[in-house]
Amino acid sequence: MKRKTRRHFLKEAGVVSLGFAAQANAETRVIGFAPQEAWTLHGEQFRHRGRPKGGWVQNFTSTVEALHDDQWRIWGGLSVPETGFRNIGFHEGRVGGEWRSVLAVCSTGEPDPNAELAIGGIPEGAHPIQVVTIRLQNGRTRLYFWAHGKGLVRYLAADSLDESATRFQVVNAATPCLYHPGDRAVGGAAAEAAGLKRYASRVAKPEAGEPLAPAELISNDSTNVYQLEDGTFEMYSVALMEVSKDDPRYAPRDNLKGFLRVIDRYTSSDGLNWGNRQRVLSPDSHDPIDQQMYYLSVTHSEKGLIGLLGSYRLNSQTIDLEPCFSNDGITWERPHRKPWVPRAKPGESLGSYMLHAPHNLVQRNGRWWIFYTGGNFSHNNVDSHGPPNRAVFAASCDSVWG
């Protein structure tokens, strides 16, 4: 098979020029969102306490479920920066009340039958983070997550073994949904074809039985997956575009110097094998020069798709929640271009530097809810408003529409 060149890959991905989104066929109607003042802020709901010491919680990309008696289940993850520990799980509780925490018991073989949440088939030495939970139309549940460790940085899926959704088995460890450029299966040829020239000399070191990563599946992270009404799937993930040192977007303060983060969309018939990659969101001429797109979280509503776009400003090293709208998931309108839910003032709460969106908004009893992760430190970890930490916050409003 003839290897795809960078030009072929970028053409298939829908990239027409560096830093700008491809044009879509469908027209998008402009829609207004409720103002920032419409949101009622319910403050911090929980942070990590106890063991392991020094852990940070996050519900970034993760699903929120409304339970009985005004209770919620907030999926998410726990990481300990000093040790590299990562795991996924959930918190259950009420807004303003106590929250109990459940972490997954992970194993390389069969899932633990006695655990409240167990995941089997995890590659040896790998740890899951940034979980997405989907109740499939067949009645089962699927988890998507990034697995890190022992040369792995790849996006995996685990299916529930029964309808109780407590025991899961990884189904694609060797053939993941996506690969990070740092994954052991990524070689220089594929990286260069994906537009990442700085990785051109990289030597892939896949284990026995692992195929090499194809260029079209090389992504960064910050990934969300959704099952559509017709049973097919869509996925939004962050791609990296290189810029040279003389480009004003080079951003020497960033941890990824010389890379521009943009949003790509993929589709799949089964949620495991992905294709039809398209560039759907990039900074444009109306954005400041230090603008990047850190994530896209999507809520499917009766009026169309509500997006929560991660507005990352490299100069300030802040991330905000920006609302956007689409009819088709391809063409997106950004009518506000400013934060929807405000960050806190320095020292006021842990939500003062970076806000990370969940998997989607939730409408409950006629009211819209968002549970999001707030951090009090800069993205490059240079500055912070007090000891660095993260917590999960809540906000709600009567209507998201303007």
Side-chain angles (χ1 to χ4, degrees):
M1 180 181 293
K2 186 177 180 181
R3 182 173 67 85
K4 292 180 180 178
T5 66
R6 179 175 182 269
R7 179 178 294 179
H8 289 149
F9 168 70
L10 295 179
K11 181 178 179 182
E12 290 178 2
V15 182
V16 294
S17 63
L18 180 62
F20 290 89
Q23 296 296 315
N25 293 326
E27 293 184 359
T28 299
R29 57 197 171 103
V30 176
I31 194 164
F33 289 106
Q36 187 183 88
E37 296 75 22
W39 289 96
T40 299
L41 304 182
H42 300 280
E44 179 182 324
Q45 298 304 302
F46 55 84
R47 67 178 72 182
H48 176 67
R49 303 182 189 279
R51 296 183 179 274
K53 188 177 179 181
W56 294 348
V57 297
Q58 65 175 26
N59 72 321
F60 181 32
T61 77
S62 299
T63 311
V64 176
E65 299 178 83
L67 306 179
H68 58 83
D69 296 334
D70 293 327
Q71 293 195 80
W72 299 89
R73 172 176 288 183
I74 301 177
W75 289 82
L78 175 67
S79 61
V80 183
E82 294 183 358
T83 67
F85 172 89
R86 298 176 176 90
N87 201 0
I88 58 178
F90 57 80
H91 283 74
E92 287 185 353
R94 291 185 177 87
V95 172
E98 296 295 322
W99 295 82
R100 76 180 188 98
S101 172
V102 175
L103 285 178
V105 175
C106 299
S107 58
T108 57
E110 297 294 317
D112 187 336
N114 300 314
E116 187 170 356
L117 175 62
I119 307 173
I122 296 286
E124 184 178 356
H127 304 276
I129 201 68
Q130 293 182 19
V131 62
V132 168
T133 310
I134 294 181
R135 308 297 186 189
L136 300 175
Q137 293 177 5
N138 64 9
R140 297 295 179 90
T141 300
R142 176 174 292 166
L143 305 181
Y144 292 93
F145 52 85
W146 281 97
H148 292 249
K150 263 199 159 180
L152 291 181
V153 193
R154 56 184 61 177
Y155 201 59
L156 303 182
D159 285 348
S160 63
L161 300 183
D162 52 46
E163 293 188 5
S164 67
T166 58
R167 298 168 61 241
F168 296 84
Q169 189 75 22
V170 173
V171 296
N172 62 345
T175 56
C177 303
L178 293 172
Y179 299 83
H180 186 275
D183 190 272
R184 66 192 180 201
V186 175
E192 188 172 13
L196 306 177
K197 293 182 180 180
R198 294 177 203 175
Y199 292 87
S201 61
R202 180 179 175 82
V203 177
K205 298 179 180 179
E207 291 194 347
E210 284 185 348
L212 292 175
E216 57 269 25
L217 294 182
I218 297 176
S219 184
N220 189 31
D221 56 14
S222 306
T223 302
N224 279 295
V225 181
Y226 305 89
Q227 187 173 31
L228 306 179
E229 290 184 2
D230 63 2
T232 63
F233 296 79
E234 65 179 359
M235 175 170 65
Y236 299 90
S237 190
V238 173
L240 298 176
M241 302 286 291
E242 281 195 25
V243 293
S244 62
K245 284 188 176 181
D246 58 357
D247 191 306
R249 299 171 296 178
Y250 182 77
R253 293 193 66 201
D254 190 42
N255 65 324
L256 284 175
K257 297 177 180 63
F259 287 102
L260 179 68
R261 296 169 181 84
V262 295
I263 306 294
D264 284 356
R265 179 181 184 264
Y266 307 72
T267 60
S268 173
S269 60
D270 60 3
L272 300 175
N273 300 284
W274 295 89
N276 302 317
R277 184 173 184 172
Q278 288 182 279
R279 181 73 23 87
V280 295
L281 276 165
S282 299
D284 60 28
S285 59
H286 299 290
D287 286 310
I289 199 66
D290 68 331
Q291 176 76 61
Q292 293 198 10
M293 311 317 201
Y294 203 84
Y295 54 77
L296 179 63
S297 163
V298 177
T299 300
H300 293 74
S301 78
E302 73 285 352
K303 291 187 178 181
L305 306 183
I306 305 168
L308 291 174
L309 178 63
S311 177
Y312 177 32
R313 297 293 301 275
L314 282 89
N315 289 343
S316 62
Q317 290 289 295
T318 56
I319 300 178
D320 285 296
L321 301 166
E322 178 191 318
C324 53
F325 178 82
S326 177
N327 286 318
D328 58 7
I330 300 171
T331 302
W332 288 86
E333 289 287 338
R334 297 170 56 206
H336 282 205
R337 303 202 180 217
K338 59 184 179 180
W340 205 8
V341 177
R343 280 182 286 117
K345 296 177 181 178
E348 187 177 60
S349 80
L350 294 182
S352 59
Y353 242 118
M354 298 188 293
L355 302 186
H356 287 79
H359 186 246
N360 58 278
L361 302 169
V362 178
Q363 192 173 21
R364 183 176 197 176
N365 297 328
R367 193 166 180 82
W368 291 85
W369 288 85
I370 177 174
F371 293 86
Y372 57 95
T373 301
N376 68 340
F377 53 94
S378 61
H379 183 266
N380 59 10
N381 294 303
V382 172
D383 302 308
S384 66
H385 301 140
N389 206 341
R390 285 177 174 159
V392 171
F393 295 79
S396 65
C397 66
D398 291 327
S399 176
V400 296
W401 311 112

